[in-house]
């Protein structure tokens, strides 16, 4: 079994339901996120378009975070999930530096690394990840990539010419796909990131783990 | 025109997102690399002096071993201080993951420190013969100890400025540069004029080679990867690290190279010492800029 995610960006309407569901389900501390929805506006008024991209850990098949972790706190599960053992983590932040997708943070309370686990605890109880359940338009599709008849496999088959992963050139083989994405939504360097993109303040960066 | 530009045609702007993490590895890690360069570099220099100027080495065994011991301890201390869970450091030895440069580096650095402690003891007991036998192994081990940080940086996927083998070359050159600079200052009257000149040549050549690599990356890096183009914008034009970058390049490489030529023509040891001090201070800046700028990249 190889669990994977697919987000149909045609369907996503940026409601951030998944983001909140993840925060609640995993008690993700203030100032940190396992899953977030990024808005990028494209074009010049009045010819403008807004893109919404949910961003989470890709559970890479060839995960740089797992490779760099000195104590195997980051490890593969048999179902393909890249999981983390917070009790073992020494907080070296190597994984934060190695992940090409910025998917890992230091939990300010435990001072250990943490990230999306595809809700491994819910999967173990045969439940869907919290973000999948919360999505009102079923833009998040989750399932077994090894099973040709699973929803996600069928979705990939039907949309073959329009399925992307982030930064394929890094050789990480993400188990997280997008349908309907483009350079602007999937490449962080293709858009300006200026002050004022946070809703309530001008903070664009935060100290890692609450200090340093 | 900037090397990296967002197309006016798309005019893409992030309009709503979370704040992304700031600097992950701060100046503690710069200190780690700087101190490690000196700690391993003095070992390389003593090795060279033993072969080329054995008469100079007599009184340098103990000071060199102590200097290396102190700087390797500084390196380890700052590495430990940078951990968010320093009291779990022992996990590396009990749950080692051998694909990680951090694990391999920790093993090697610990062994290296053990051997340096032995060297200090042997030098103190004046057992020069045994010292020299152990010293060969210490010198060999100093090579991977100084290189492992390059492997660590190379494992940071998408921080493309840190490329192998350029980083390996830079680490070893930082060691020979700072080792020779430190040895010029440490040697004082214990070193003959000729020995100091040899160290000056090592310093000058290390500076020249490191400078060539930095400039090659500065000019040609942006042609290889979008991330490099984006990263180097922070040290170009009125970028936030432009001043520190060029100050570091001048202090560490360009001025010491000129000073070494001058010291040879004027036979001035004072000029050589000035070159050594500038190189040591400048190296911290050079390492710091190179450590920080890839961390400013938005990753997602
Ligand atoms: S996206 Fe990042 S954190 Fe997730 S598996 Fe890949 S490298 Fe690791
Ligand atoms: S911060 Fe923790 S999980 Fe990340 S690489 Fe270091 S020990 Fe592993």
């Amino acid at each position: 079994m190889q669990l994977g995610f697919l987000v149909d960006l045609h369907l996503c309407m940026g409601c951030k339901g998944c983001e909140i569901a993840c925060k609640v389900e995993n008690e993700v501390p203030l100032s940190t996120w396992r899953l977030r929805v990024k808005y990028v506006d494209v074009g010049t008024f009045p010819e403008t378009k807004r893109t919404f991209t949910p961003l989470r850990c890709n559970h890479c098949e060839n995960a740089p975070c797992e490779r760099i972790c000195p104590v195997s706190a980051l490890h593969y599960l048999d179902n393909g999930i890249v999981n983390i053992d917070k009790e073992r983590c020494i907080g070296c932040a190597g994984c934060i530096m190695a992940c090409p997708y910025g998917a890992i943070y230091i939990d300010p309370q435990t001072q250990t690394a943490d990230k999306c686990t595809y809700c491994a605890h819910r999967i173990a109880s045969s439940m869907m990840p919290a973000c999948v359940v919360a999505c009102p338009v079923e833009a998040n599709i989750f399932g077994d990539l090894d099973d040709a008849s699973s929803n996600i496999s069928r979705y990939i088959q039907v949309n073959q010419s329009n399925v992307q992963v982030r930064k394929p050139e890094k050789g990480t083989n993400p188990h997280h796909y997008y349908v309907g994405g483009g350079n602007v939504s999937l490449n962080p360097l293709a858009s300006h990131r200026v002050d004022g993109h946070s809703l309530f303040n001008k903070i664009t960066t935060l100290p890692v783990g609450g200090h340093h | 025109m900037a090397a990296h530009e967002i197309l006016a045609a798309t005019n893409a702007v992030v309009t709503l997102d979370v704040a992304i993490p700031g600097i992950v590895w701060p100046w503690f890690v710069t200190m780690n690399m700087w101190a490690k360069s000196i700690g391993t570099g003095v070992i390389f220099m003593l090795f060279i002096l033993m072969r080329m100027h054995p008469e100079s080495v007599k009184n340098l065994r103990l000071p060199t071993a102590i200097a290396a011991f102190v700087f390797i301890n500084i390196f380890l201390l700052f590495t430990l201080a940078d951990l968010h869970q320093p009291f779990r450091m022992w996990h590396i030895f009990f749950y080692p993951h051998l694909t990680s440069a951090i694990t391999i580096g920790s093993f090697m650095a610990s062994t290296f420190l053990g051997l340096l402690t032995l060297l200090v003891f042997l030098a103190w007991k004046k057992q020069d013969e045994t010292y020299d036998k152990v010293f060969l192994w210490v010198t060999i081990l100093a090579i991977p100890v100084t290189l492992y940080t390059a492997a660590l940086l190379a494992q940071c996927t998408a921080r493309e400025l840190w490329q192998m083998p350029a980083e390996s070359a830079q680490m070893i050159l930082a060691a020979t540069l700072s080792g020779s600079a430190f040895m010029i200052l440490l040697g004082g009257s214990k070193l003959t004029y000729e020995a100091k000149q040899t160290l000056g040549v090592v310093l000058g050549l290390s500076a020249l080679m490191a400078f060539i690599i930095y400039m090659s990356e500065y000019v040609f890096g942006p042609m290889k990867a979008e991330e490099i183009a984006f990263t180097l914008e922070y040290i170009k034009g009125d970028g936030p690290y432009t001043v520190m970058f060029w100050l570091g390049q001048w202090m560490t490489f360009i001025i010491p190279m000129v000073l070494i030529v001058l010291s040879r023509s004027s036979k001035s040891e004072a000029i050589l010492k000035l070159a050594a001090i500038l190189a040591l201070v400048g190296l911290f800046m050079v390492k710091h800029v190179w450590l920080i700028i890839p961390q400013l990249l938005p990753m997602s």
Side-chain angles (χ1 to χ4, degrees), chain A residues 66-191:
Chain A
E66 188 273 346
R67 189 162 51 234
I68 206 171
C69 180
V71 295
S72 297
L74 284 152
H75 56 276
Y76 298 108
L77 299 182
D78 289 341
N79 57 15
I81 288 177
V82 178
N83 203 18
I84 181 154
D85 178 351
K86 293 178 75 169
E87 295 303 315
R88 190 176 283 191
C89 171
I90 62 170
C92 67
C95 53
I96 304 182
M97 295 297 287
C99 170
Y101 309 100
I104 306 186
Y105 58 91
I106 294 283
D107 182 327
Q109 285 155 10
T110 61
Q111 289 298 319
T112 54
D114 215 340
K115 67 173 198 64
C116 159
T117 62
Y118 277 177
C119 281
H121 59 292
R122 289 174 61 98
I123 308 287
S125 312
S126 303
M127 289 191 288
M128 279 287 178
C131 54
V132 176
V133 179
C135 181
V137 291
E138 296 187 17
N140 287 294
I141 294 143
F142 181 73
D144 183 5
L145 296 163
D146 272 350
D147 174 2
S149 63
S150 66
N151 263 356
I152 186 168
S153 297
R154 279 191 282 130
Y155 220 97
I156 291 173
Q157 287 153 21
V158 170
N159 292 281
Q160 265 181 32
S161 59
N162 197 14
V163 177
Q164 303 96 358
V165 294
R166 283 191 279 161
K167 304 186 186 179
E169 74 282 4
K170 303 298 173 211
T172 54
N173 299 346
H175 280 170
H176 189 294
Y177 304 87
Y178 292 91
V179 166
N183 195 34
V184 160
S185 49
L186 301 182
N187 177 1
L189 302 183
S191 51

